[in-house]
Amino acid sequence: TACHHSTQPTPKASPTAAEDCRTIGHDAGETTICDQPQTVVTLGPNLLELLLTLDVQPVGHAEYFPFPIDVFDQPAQQIPYLGERLTGQPRNVGTAHDPALEVIAELKPDLILGDTLKNQDEYALLSQIAPTLLLTYDEPQKDWSADLQTVAQALNLSDRAEAVISKFQQRQMGLRQEIAKKVVQTPKVLLLLGQRLDQEIRIETRHSACGGLLEELGFEVIVPTTLKESSEESHAISLEALPQLDADLIIIEGFNSDITANAKDPIEGQLQVLKQQWQTNEIAQSLPASQNGQVYFTTVYLCHALLGPIGTEIFLEQLQQQLNAQAIDAKNSP
């Protein structure tokens, strides 16, 4: 019912001597948390997604890209997709890869949520500031619901997590069925990732997050014949090789590592250069999908950062809108 299927059992809290304390197992070990945390810091949009899913607001947050501000004072414009769900103005605590420990300490949090791959080196120091959970959130075969339950246990909100999961499953069933009806029109999908066409672009396989989701919907995620047996999530590919692939639909995940707080629209800013280059590139425009209006741009956030219920729902809703628009255009064309 999500991007991936869990390969790990649901973590369970172990009671400690104190009745209001519990020991939470996570990807970096075990952490004891007492009472109900009220001030939470998130180190990355993936962790912020889980927190907001449980209707909890952060006091501090770290994005993937650096922002030259102390406070996210306009979160809806500064934090892609999730900012509009923030009711306050969290402190900027650096980046997910390089959190500002002094700023985090000033906030006196009682829970820190971090990423195993990005924050392992700081784990000991973070744990001195507050109880810290590290989650390996970007494993393709890991179900987001297991991480959500871990965070919910830490927050004493396990019942809320179960309700969220159930509601998500019900809501997604109809949406997926609607999208599946469109698969017959554009069954073969080419999934690309890049910042600029004149730099490295990558082709994603069915083993990637959104590649797996698209295959669940009935699409065929196509790759060169030489890569069909690959278990990797993505591979570098040249622009010149794309005409050799028979794609009905192309989905391009764009990103821009230069995004700052000065960007008027951080989501559009992720895609602007790539869109412009695609529209003016001779090879890109020669592809049947381009000529048929079957090219869809999205951001790297949805397939690589927001793998939980919020990101999955946004990705599916946008895909449905794109497919519906294509169907209308095809119907109106002479």
Side-chain angles (χ1 to χ4, degrees):
T1 60
C3 285
H4 324 297
H5 301 287
S6 177
T7 57
Q8 299 181 358
T10 300
K12 295 183 178 180
S14 302
T16 62
E19 188 174 337
D20 60 347
C21 295
R22 56 223 173 268
T23 299
I24 309 298
H26 55 101
D27 292 338
E30 293 184 338
T31 297
T32 299
I33 299 175
C34 296
D35 301 318
Q36 186 169 39
Q38 300 297 317
T39 54
V40 185
V41 169
T42 52
L43 304 181
N46 50 337
L47 288 315
L48 178 60
E49 178 185 21
L50 294 179
L51 193 69
L52 294 176
T53 297
L54 296 169
D55 294 327
V56 178
Q57 296 287 319
V59 297
H61 174 61
E63 268 296 305
Y64 282 157
F65 306 119
F67 283 77
I69 54 176
D70 295 327
V71 176
F72 289 106
D73 54 352
Q74 299 180 28
Q77 286 74 47
Q78 296 160 342
I79 302 177
Y81 301 108
L82 301 178
E84 61 187 20
R85 298 171 182 260
L86 293 174
T87 57
Q89 297 182 354
R91 284 285 299 275
N92 178 7
V93 296
T95 66
H97 295 82
D98 187 21
L101 300 181
E102 292 185 3
V103 178
I104 295 174
E106 290 175 5
L107 292 172
K108 298 181 179 179
D110 43 27
L111 178 64
I112 300 171
L113 302 178
D115 185 281
T116 308
L117 299 179
K118 298 178 181 66
N119 306 125
Q120 186 67 54
D121 291 343
E122 298 94 4
Y123 177 61
L125 293 174
L126 290 168
S127 296
Q128 292 178 22
I129 297 173
T132 300
L133 305 182
L134 296 189
L135 303 173
T136 308
Y137 193 53
D138 55 357
E139 290 181 343
Q141 301 304 317
K142 188 175 183 181
D143 187 346
W144 58 262
S145 64
D147 284 340
L148 183 68
Q149 290 168 327
T150 298
V151 174
Q153 288 172 8
L155 294 167
N156 256 346
L157 296 173
S158 293
D159 290 345
R160 187 176 298 179
E162 293 298 333
V164 166
I165 294 170
S166 177
K167 184 178 180 180
F168 175 83
Q169 292 172 344
Q170 295 175 11
R171 188 166 57 242
Q172 292 303 298
M173 187 176 300
L175 186 56
R176 288 167 184 255
Q177 289 175 349
E178 287 300 314
I179 293 176
K181 295 176 183 178
K182 308 291 184 181
V183 172
V184 294
Q185 300 171 13
T186 54
K188 297 180 180 180
V189 179
L190 176 62
L191 192 57
L192 299 176
L193 167 67
Q195 179 166 325
R196 299 174 58 93
L197 292 185
D198 53 1
Q199 297 177 0
E200 180 183 86
I201 58 173
R202 300 188 69 82
I203 183 171
E204 296 205 354
T205 72
R206 61 186 177 87
H207 300 290
S208 68
C210 280
L213 178 56
L214 289 168
E215 292 249 333
E216 286 181 14
L217 293 170
F219 292 100
E220 178 188 354
V221 177
I222 63 172
V223 295
T225 303
T226 55
L227 299 179
K228 283 192 174 182
E229 301 302 320
S230 171
S231 60
E232 298 294 323
E233 296 179 42
S234 67
H235 295 268
I237 190 170
S238 67
L239 191 63
E240 290 75 16
L242 299 186
Q244 303 171 24
L245 302 175
D246 181 21
D248 302 306
L249 171 67
I250 299 176
I251 298 178
I252 304 174
E253 305 165 58
F255 68 92
N256 182 355
S257 57
D258 294 328
I259 290 296
T260 69
N262 296 322
K264 294 182 179 180
D265 185 342
I267 295 176
E268 182 60 28
Q270 295 275 321
L271 304 174
Q272 186 175 12
V273 172
L274 193 58
K275 277 184 176 180
Q276 292 174 346
Q277 290 185 330
W278 188 270
Q279 292 165 359
T280 58
N281 183 273
E282 184 176 348
I283 295 177
Q285 291 304 301
S286 71
L287 301 176
S290 290
Q291 297 176 356
N292 296 329
Q294 306 279 14
V295 179
Y296 164 43
F297 291 86
T298 186
T299 72
V300 70
Y301 267 82
L302 293 182
C303 286
H304 290 266
L306 306 182
L307 304 179
I310 297 174
T312 300
E313 184 168 348
I314 292 172
F315 178 80
L316 291 177
E317 287 178 346
Q318 291 186 353
L319 178 60
Q320 182 188 37
Q321 292 171 3
Q322 178 76 7
L323 295 173
N324 287 342
Q326 292 167 353
I328 293 174
D329 290 343
K331 183 178 180 180
N332 294 335
S333 62

